[in-house]
Amino acid sequence: MARRVNLLGGAVFVAVLLVWELLVRTGILSFSYLPPPSDVAGGLGQLIGNGELGSALGHTLGAALAGWAIAGVLGVAAGSVLGLVRPVWTYSMASLEALRALPIVAFVPVAVLLYGFSVQTEIMVGCYAALWPILLNTISGMRTEARMVESGAVLRLSRAAVLWKIRLPAATPSIVVGLRLGLSISLVLTLVAEMVGNPAGLGFLLVEKGQALQPGQMFAAVFVVGVSGIVLNGLVLGAARLAFRGQLAASGEVA
Amino acid sequence: MSPTILCDDLTVTLPGESGPVEVLAGVRLAVAKAEFVSVLGTSGSGKTTLLRALGGLLPVTSGTVHCDSTLVTGPPEGVVTVFQDYAHSLLPWRSVARNVALGIESRLDRSERDERVDEALTMVGLSDRAGEYPWRLSGGMQQRVQIARALAMRPRVLLMDEPFGALDAMTKASLQDQLQQVQELTGTTIVFVTHDVEEAVYLSDRVVVLSGSPASIGLSLDVALPRPRHQITTKERADYLELRHEVYEALGHRVPIAERSHG
């Protein structure tokens, strides 16, 4: 897989930063607290230097990943049962549809009430948010092509072998999609929980710097949030490609 | 000697949009060891239903199917069905070799498994594609992978459901000849469902035609053409053309009166 550096894309990005810098410096864009990119870079340097960023980032990623991991185990297990056992699906579908329709953000104050201003609140919210995409993608992934299952029967595979060798691998691309979506939403909701609930991590850092009228540092925190989302998604995809090369190649995920 | 497949008074009723539909009624069919029998019939006549019942993939409503004197209730040992839609039958995440190994990998040790996979792939002429993913191959090659997967099981019986139906004429002809060679080599009993009259006559020892609704066997015709058969010379023989004529008529085609030269 030859990877080419996207020079044009990078050039556009740098150009946008330059224009932003110029517009702010020349006063054409005149918000009271809009920092130019150079101030944001300075803010980032300060946050790294005083150690605030490291501990906040560690806290947030830890909570988001913990919630996501719990959701991964629960979602794949429950999704497999729901996808494979027809009666369970029939009885649970109505409840699932109703719960799914509720905006996840509405659960943040509920979690704060239940778990207080603690890291548990963040993990619970992240877990709940990540559970949905993982669960639903696992369910749909488990609806294996009938002919594929029949091929297993014709070759006299046991039921366990059909599950292990045909159904689960066939569901893998869907499950990986669910896990990726779940991780990004877990990160988002963990940040929300930090803004309105537990005063810690990147979410709180962002709010705190805003209220302290430190726009450079605040924008730096926003930037770090964005980059960590991209990095996490890349890590999950990379790990999945290593572990399930064939499945993802077949679904066109690997070029 | 008792037949390899014996299907007695078979009736199959399937659920339909407006109540149950009787697809097959009173089908009697005996297939001898190493015989090549083609099942023909118009579209929707129940060819596939019959094959699925023989393969234990469909519960019969009444009557019985026996394979080597054992009652068929599920896919029997030594009987492998090859489906028309190779793309959905192969596992896209497994390489060609690992697809072929699917049915034998938990029963044989590594060296024996590799040997069988190699043997099966050689029989279908794909040993140089063992490491490839099936979806990177052409349709004809993918179908050969499915056939190799069946052959790796060393089956006594191959049930083939329009296996070449989705392939172009050139590929079809070469796969027909390959199948002939494989059968000659292995002595496998083959039941072959097709809607292609030429293909049925060319390949078979016997052609049966399903007719009526619900369907039963309307015509059973022995094909005594000499083997090995050849795409050009066999199809030029007078007895080939006569057989082909007879099967077409059994399927409901009529020769226009003006063109009849005899009988």
Side-chain angles (χ1 to χ4, degrees):
Chain A
M1 188 164 46
R3 196 167 275 178
R4 287 176 52 210
V5 181
N6 185 350
L7 281 177
L8 276 177
V12 170
F13 183 73
V14 172
V16 168
L17 287 183
L18 280 175
V19 170
W20 176 6
E21 183 84 31
L22 278 172
L23 288 177
V24 176
R25 293 267 176 231
T26 54
I28 298 173
L29 266 181
S30 65
F31 292 97
S32 316
Y33 295 107
L34 181 67
S38 51
D39 281 10
V40 177
L44 187 63
Q46 289 156 13
L47 285 178
I48 294 171
N50 64 18
E52 270 184 284
L53 183 70
S55 66
L57 183 64
H59 177 90
T60 301
L61 289 186
L65 284 170
W68 173 73
I70 298 168
V73 173
L74 288 179
V76 171
S80 303
V81 173
L82 281 162
L84 293 173
V85 190
R86 200 74 213 174
V88 178
W89 166 250
T90 311
Y91 290 123
S92 349
M93 197 179 60
S95 322
L96 286 177
E97 288 295 325
L99 270 179
R100 191 168 73 102
L102 287 170
I104 298 164
V105 182
F107 281 90
V108 177
V110 177
V112 172
L113 199 62
L114 291 177
Y115 297 98
F117 300 118
S118 66
V119 72
Q120 277 105 304
T121 300
E122 295 179 42
I123 294 174
M124 287 314 295
V125 168
C127 174
Y128 181 79
L131 188 62
W132 289 105
I134 297 172
L135 184 74
L136 296 173
N137 278 288
T138 305
I139 292 174
S140 76
M142 284 293 168
R143 304 237 186 283
T144 320
E145 191 71 50
R147 183 48 50 81
M148 232 178 239
V149 175
E150 213 164 52
S151 297
V154 157
L155 299 171
R156 294 175 59 84
L157 299 190
S158 64
R159 285 176 68 96
V162 168
L163 179 65
W164 185 245
K165 292 182 175 176
I166 298 179
R167 287 188 185 274
L168 270 175
T172 304
S174 278
I175 294 175
V176 169
V177 168
L179 287 172
R180 287 169 61 194
L181 291 172
L183 185 53
S184 8
I185 192 129
S186 167
L187 179 63
V188 171
L189 267 290
T190 302
L191 290 167
V192 173
E194 286 169 350
M195 289 174 186
V196 304
N198 191 29
L202 278 177
F204 181 69
L205 183 74
L206 231 159
V207 174
E208 188 190 37
K209 294 302 172 191
Q211 285 167 352
L213 304 184
Q214 295 268 22
Q217 294 190 6
M218 183 182 158
F219 270 72
V222 173
F223 172 74
V224 170
V225 167
V227 169
S228 28
I230 295 169
V231 168
L232 285 181
N233 187 33
L235 286 177
V236 175
L237 190 56
R241 278 177 180 167
L242 276 182
F244 310 112
R245 195 174 169 276
Q247 284 95 315
L248 296 189
S251 69
E253 287 272 5
V254 182
Chain B
M1 197 177 69
S2 73
T4 298
I5 292 177
L6 181 63
C7 167
D8 193 26
D9 209 12
L10 177 72
T11 298
V12 175
T13 305
L14 295 175
E17 281 294 320
S18 49
V21 180
E22 200 172 34
V23 181
L24 300 172
V27 174
R28 286 168 213 279
L29 178 69
V31 181
K33 187 165 166 27
E35 194 181 9
F36 194 122
V37 174
S38 284
V39 179
L40 276 164
T42 49
S43 187
S45 59
K47 305 184 291 284
T48 295
T49 306
L50 174 60
L51 199 78
R52 291 174 64 80
L54 298 183
L57 292 170
L58 200 68
V60 305
T61 312
S62 72
T64 52
V65 176
H66 283 88
C67 179
D68 281 326
S69 307
T70 317
L71 187 69
V72 170
T73 50
E77 174 84 57
V79 177
V80 183
T81 305
V82 173
F83 302 102
Q84 180 182 7
D85 49 343
Y86 43 81
H88 292 146
S89 309
L90 298 171
L91 308 183
W93 57 87
R94 283 185 173 226
S95 66
V96 165
R98 293 198 58 230
N99 261 291
V100 174
L102 180 64
I104 53 171
E105 61 194 0
S106 55
R107 277 168 237 180
L108 302 175
D109 65 53
R110 203 192 168 94
S111 64
E112 206 175 341
R113 181 194 67 198
D114 291 348
E115 213 169 281
R116 284 249 208 133
V117 168
D118 200 49
E119 175 192 283
L121 283 174
T122 307
M123 267 195 268
V124 300
L126 280 179
S127 33
D128 54 337
R129 298 305 191 100
E132 198 71 86
Y133 284 116
W135 42 270
R136 288 205 199 270
L137 305 178
S138 70
M141 287 180 177
Q142 291 186 44
Q143 191 57 293
R144 278 145 71 189
V145 175
Q146 200 195 170
I147 293 171
R149 184 175 72 180
L151 292 174
M153 302 281 284
R154 300 233 173 110
R156 287 169 294 148
V157 180
L158 271 182
L159 303 174
M160 310 184 89
D161 188 4
E162 298 194 30
F164 311 144
L167 305 175
D168 64 273
M170 300 275 280
T171 311
K172 201 169 177 173
S174 86
L175 288 201
Q176 286 167 354
D177 290 340
Q178 207 160 43
L179 184 62
Q180 282 197 78
Q181 287 166 14
V182 166
Q183 200 204 11
E184 204 180 284
L185 213 65
T186 57
T188 313
T189 309
I190 299 180
V191 180
F192 190 96
V193 163
T194 176
H195 55 241
D196 180 337
V197 175
E198 281 83 7
E199 178 173 68
V201 174
Y202 178 68
L203 286 173
S204 308
D205 298 313
R206 186 153 55 98
V207 174
V208 299
V209 176
L210 284 181
S211 52
S213 178
S216 58
I217 292 185
L219 174 81
S220 177
L221 187 67
D222 285 320
V223 179
L225 298 169
R227 287 186 188 272
R229 294 175 185 170
H230 187 272
Q231 292 286 355
I232 298 170
T233 54
T234 302
K235 290 182 175 178
E236 284 169 350
R237 290 172 63 102
D239 43 358
Y240 169 84
L241 294 171
E242 219 163 280
L243 288 160
R244 175 175 169 274
H245 183 123
E246 215 171 320
V247 176
Y248 266 117
E249 287 208 329
L251 285 164
H253 295 267
R254 291 278 166 268
V255 181
I257 294 166
E259 288 171 30
R260 277 189 196 171
S261 51
H262 55 84

